[in-house]
Amino acid sequence: MNDAPVPTPAPAPRRARVRAPELIGKGGWLNTGGKELTLAELRGKCIIVDFWTFCCINCLHVLDELRELEEKHRDTVVIIGVHSPKFVHEAEHQSVVDAVERYEVHHPVLDDPELATWKQYAVRAWPTLVVIDPEGYVVAQHAGEGHAHAIAKLVEELETEHAAKGTLRRGDGPYVPPEPVATDLRFPGKALVLPGGHLLVSDSTRHQLVELDADGETVVRRIGSGVRGFGPDSFSEPQGLALLPDGTVIVADTVNHALRTYDPVSGAIETVAGTGRQWWQGSPTEGPALEVDLSSPWDVAWWADRVWIAMAGVHQLWTYDPATGTVGVAAGTTNEGLVDGPAAEAWFAQPSGLAAAGDRLWIADSETSALRYVERAGEGEGEGDGFVIRTAVGAGLFDFGHRDGAAGQALLQHPLGVTALPDGSVAVSDTYNHALRRYDPATGEVTTLATDLREPSDAVLVGEDIVVVESARHRLTRLRLPDEAVDVEAVAHRTQRAATEVAPGALTLDVVFTAPTGQKLDTRYGPSTRLLVSATPPELLAEGGGAGTDLHRELVLADGVTEGVLHVSAMAASCDDDPANEYPACHVHQQDWGVPVRVDDTGTSRLTLVLAGLDA
C-alpha cells in the first residue's frame, strides 16, 4: 500500500476573463484560400489554438487527437494551428506548406516564424492548446498530449452556454483545402531494396507502400487501400521498412502505433505488434506483442536476432521477437534528451532512423540532431542484455547546424535516416539541412556527401549508387557515392526561444493542473501526479532535482551558473467522478518542458507551467 500524501493542485479559475491576443505571424495563413483571418471575424465560434511545430512527435499526436473533435463539432469549432518553429528549417515558409499537406492538417494554419503569437500567449512548450470562447476570451490552456477528451467536454459546455446567451454562431468555418497535386509518391518516408532488385517505399501521406522498378521511378504495384485506417488492407502514415530473414517485410505503421508484415510474394498484410492504441505512462512495457500498446514506431531494423524499433513517440528503443511473439523496451527511460550509458538509463529524443552494421545499431536521434549507436556493453557496463548507448555526433536538444569536421564539433539538423556503408562508415539523411552527410568511425570525421536534396528521410545502397528518399520532392534520387566530400560553409544554431529571467537562489516551481469537468484525480492506487526535474548543465540545480509526486517543488539554483535549461516532466491521471460507475474512464495528461532560464537579480522567483487549466 502506498501511504505517500496525495498532492492537491491549487485550483485555477475556469472562466477568467482574459481577452485572447490577436493571431499574427509573418509567414501568413495557409488553408484559407489566401484570406487573412482575425479573431473578430471568428467571433461566435469556439476556437482551439494549437501551437505546434512539425518536427515534434507530440504535436503530431495532438493533430491526430483533434481529428474526431474537429469533425464532430465542425459547425461550432474552428481549430487554428499556429506553427511555431524550433529548427531553422521549420521557419521556412515552404517547409510549413509541405508539413501541412504531409500531415493532412484540415484547418487554417498561421505561419509564425518569429514566434510572435507564441510570445503573446506566453506559451512555453510544444504542443500547447488554448481554448477561446465565442466572445473572444481565453478559457483554458493545455500543454502536451491527452487533453482531447477534456477539450471536447469544455466545447460542449461552451456550446450550451453561448447558445443560451445568443453568442454562438453555427455554420461553416474558414478552412479552404489546397488543390491536390498528382505525383506517383507523396512525402515518401523510408525505402528498402527487395531481393529481386525492386524498391519498396513507404508512401506516407498516401497511407500506402509502393513497389517501384529498379529504376526507382516506374510503379509496379501499390500496397494498401490508400485510405487512412487499421484494417487488413490499410495503413496510417507508414514509415520504416526492414527485411526479415523469412523474406517478409516488417513495416512501422506509425500512426496506427503498430508493426505490420507484408509478404512481397503473396501480398498478405498482417499485424504482428501493437493494438492500434497509443502507449501511455503506466501501460505495460513488455509482453505478447499484440496485447501491448506502442507509440509512433518510426523505423525498424533487424539486428541481434530481433526487430529493433525506433519508438519515436516515447523516446525509446523497443524490440520485437518474432520467435516468441513478444515486444519490450530495450533502451531509454521516456525522458527526452541526450544521455548515454547503459541502455536502461539512456535518454533519446525522437529516434527516427535505424541501420544495422555488424556489432553496432546506428540511430538517427532526430530532436537532439544526433547520430548515436547501440553496442554490446563492455565489462562493468550495462545490465540485462548488456547493451550500451553512445553518441558519435550531437550535443543536445538545442544545438544544431551544418558543420563538418571532427565529430565532437560537427553539427546536424534533425536527421531522420541513417545508412550503413560498405567501408564501415555511415551516411546520415540530414533532413533539415537538405543534405546527405557521412560519419567515419575510423577517423572520427563528419563530411558532406551531397546537398540540394529536399528533406531527405532515408537512403539505400543499390550497387555503387545510393538512392535517397527526397521526401519533400516526392521522389527517389539516385546518386553516385562520391570519393570526396562537398565543401560546405559551416553554420551553427541554437533554438531561439526567449529565456525566462529567474532570480538567483530559491525558485518555486508550480505545475498547474485542473481536472476536467466531471473528473477527479485518480488516487485509487496512490498518488496520481508525478513530477521529474533536471537541468542542463546539471550544475544549474543545487537542490530540487529528481522525481516526486507533488506538482509543487522548491528549487535552489546554484551560485555561479548564470544560464541553462530546466527540464520538467509532469503527469497527472484523472478519472470520471461518478461513485456509481465501477469502471470509470481514466485519462493521462503528460508534458515535458525544456525551459531556457537566465539568472538575474530582477528575475522572478516563481516559475509556473500549465499542464491543464489557467494560472490564477
Side-chain angles (χ1 to χ4, degrees):
M1 181 176 176
N2 193 326
D3 294 322
V6 176
T8 304
R14 286 287 303 276
R15 301 292 170 84
R17 301 294 283 178
V18 178
R19 176 67 72 178
E22 191 55 81
L23 305 176
I24 54 174
K26 189 175 180 180
W29 289 90
L30 305 175
N31 283 354
T32 63
K35 178 180 174 60
E36 293 193 4
L37 302 182
T38 65
L39 289 178
E41 60 192 284
L42 295 174
R43 199 66 50 80
K45 298 286 190 181
C46 302
I47 301 171
I48 301 170
V49 183
D50 176 16
F51 290 89
W52 70 298
T53 189
F54 63 78
C55 73
C56 164
I57 191 68
N58 311 91
C59 299
L60 303 186
H61 289 166
V62 167
L63 287 176
D64 291 317
E65 288 178 3
L66 292 176
R67 293 186 198 279
E68 182 179 349
L69 184 149
E70 187 171 26
E71 182 60 35
K72 183 177 180 180
H73 298 273
R74 186 166 294 280
D75 67 333
T76 58
V77 170
V78 174
I79 297 176
I80 302 288
V82 177
H83 188 268
S84 312
K86 171 185 175 181
F87 290 97
V88 169
H89 169 63
E90 294 174 307
E92 298 173 5
H93 182 70
Q94 184 57 48
S95 300
V96 182
V97 173
D98 289 344
V100 167
E101 181 189 352
R102 180 195 297 266
Y103 297 115
E104 297 184 306
V105 180
H106 293 164
H107 51 251
V109 172
L110 175 64
D111 180 11
D112 183 19
E114 297 177 347
L115 303 182
T117 295
W118 167 288
K119 295 170 186 173
Q120 286 291 311
Y121 280 78
V123 174
R124 292 185 182 274
W126 297 278
T128 291
L129 297 166
V130 175
V131 182
I132 302 172
D133 73 12
E135 293 180 292
Y137 292 94
V138 173
V139 292
Q141 180 172 324
H142 303 266
E145 304 177 46
H147 301 293
H149 69 287
I151 293 176
K153 181 71 174 177
L154 177 56
V155 164
E156 291 172 0
E157 294 174 8
L158 292 173
E159 287 175 343
T160 300
E161 175 185 339
H162 288 274
K165 292 174 63 176
T167 50
L168 183 69
R169 179 166 55 89
R170 296 183 179 273
D172 292 338
Y175 170 65
V176 178
E179 289 294 324
V181 181
T183 54
D184 287 332
L185 302 173
R186 205 70 191 163
F187 298 104
K190 306 287 185 180
L192 173 72
V193 180
L194 294 171
H198 285 184
L199 291 156
L200 188 67
V201 183
S202 55
D203 197 18
S204 302
T205 298
R206 296 231 175 96
H207 314 297
Q208 291 181 313
L209 309 182
V210 178
E211 184 178 336
L212 300 175
D213 193 85
D215 62 9
E217 297 180 4
T218 305
V219 175
V220 176
R221 65 176 57 88
R222 295 183 179 276
I223 300 100
S225 65
V227 177
R228 181 194 295 272
F230 195 35
D233 189 33
S234 55
F235 299 96
S236 187
E237 297 182 31
Q239 286 285 342
L241 307 167
L243 195 65
L244 299 183
D246 65 2
T248 60
V249 175
I250 193 155
V251 183
D253 195 3
T254 304
V255 178
N256 277 328
H257 309 295
L259 300 185
R260 323 286 292 278
T261 55
Y262 163 64
D263 187 335
V265 177
S266 68
I269 299 170
E270 182 182 354
T271 302
V272 296
T275 63
R277 298 183 300 270
Q278 183 183 340
W279 185 93
W280 287 100
Q281 290 287 350
S283 301
T285 56
E286 62 181 0
L290 291 171
E291 299 175 13
V292 177
D293 299 338
L294 308 181
S295 183
S296 297
W298 206 275
D299 203 6
V300 283
W302 180 259
W303 185 69
D305 298 321
R306 64 196 66 181
V307 176
W308 287 69
I309 310 162
M311 202 72 77
V314 285
H315 317 298
Q316 290 179 312
L317 302 182
W318 287 42
T319 59
Y320 161 64
D321 186 347
T324 61
T326 57
V327 293
V329 175
T333 64
T334 76
N335 296 111
E336 185 177 12
L338 195 157
V339 176
D340 289 340
E345 301 171 14
W347 290 21
F348 298 94
Q350 238 170 275
S352 301
L354 299 174
D359 60 359
R360 288 183 178 178
L361 177 70
W362 293 96
I363 309 158
D365 199 28
S366 62
E367 280 291 286
T368 55
S369 298
L371 174 65
R372 306 174 74 183
Y373 59 92
V374 187
E375 65 179 2
R376 294 282 181 183
E379 187 175 348
E381 292 181 313
E383 298 178 3
D385 281 337
F387 292 107
V388 67
I389 311 301
R390 307 191 198 280
T391 296
V393 183
L397 279 168
F398 304 102
D399 294 278
F400 59 93
H402 191 152
R403 184 163 64 199
D404 289 331
Q409 302 297 318
L411 294 171
L412 309 169
Q413 186 180 180
H414 197 80
L416 291 178
V418 59
T419 308
L421 299 179
D423 64 357
S425 65
V426 290
V428 180
S429 295
D430 194 6
T431 310
Y432 287 3
N433 279 327
H434 310 299
L436 189 68
R437 312 286 292 284
R438 177 177 178 265
Y439 167 69
D440 186 350
T443 64
E445 293 287 313
V446 175
T447 55
T448 298
L449 297 176
T451 58
D452 194 30
L453 302 169
R454 186 69 186 170
E455 292 193 21
S457 54
D458 196 18
V460 293
L461 288 171
V462 180
E464 295 182 355
D465 297 337
I466 189 164
V467 175
V468 180
V469 180
E470 273 199 276
S471 189
R473 283 201 178 113
H474 320 293
R475 70 188 189 191
L476 304 187
T477 299
R478 186 181 295 263
L479 304 171
R480 179 57 56 94
L481 272 173
D483 295 325
E484 297 182 1
V486 177
D487 187 23
V488 176
E489 182 179 353
V491 179
H493 299 288
R494 279 187 63 85
T495 299
Q496 296 302 309
R497 287 168 56 192
T500 299
E501 294 194 347
V502 294
L507 176 65
T508 297
L509 171 64
D510 282 313
V511 175
V512 175
F513 177 75
T514 304
T517 301
Q519 294 193 353
K520 64 178 181 179
L521 289 174
D522 178 18
T523 58
R524 292 171 298 166
Y525 307 107
S528 59
T529 56
R530 186 188 68 174
L531 184 66
L532 177 67
V533 180
S534 61
T536 302
E539 296 77 20
L540 175 65
L541 270 182
E543 296 178 24
T549 59
D550 199 334
L551 296 182
H552 170 91
R553 183 81 61 88
E554 295 295 338
L555 311 178
V556 177
L557 303 179
D559 293 336
V561 183
T562 58
E563 62 180 4
V565 178
L566 287 175
H567 302 284
V568 180
S569 178
M571 185 274 287
S574 62
C575 292
D576 290 343
D577 187 9
D578 181 1
N581 186 352
E582 186 177 356
Y583 303 104
C586 297
H587 305 272
V588 176
H589 314 255
Q590 182 178 353
Q591 175 60 14
D592 296 334
W593 290 268
V595 184
V597 296
R598 182 180 300 112
V599 179
D600 187 275
D601 289 337
T602 62
T604 181
S605 59
R606 179 176 183 255
L607 177 61
T608 304
L609 301 174
V610 178
L611 180 59
L614 289 172
D615 181 20

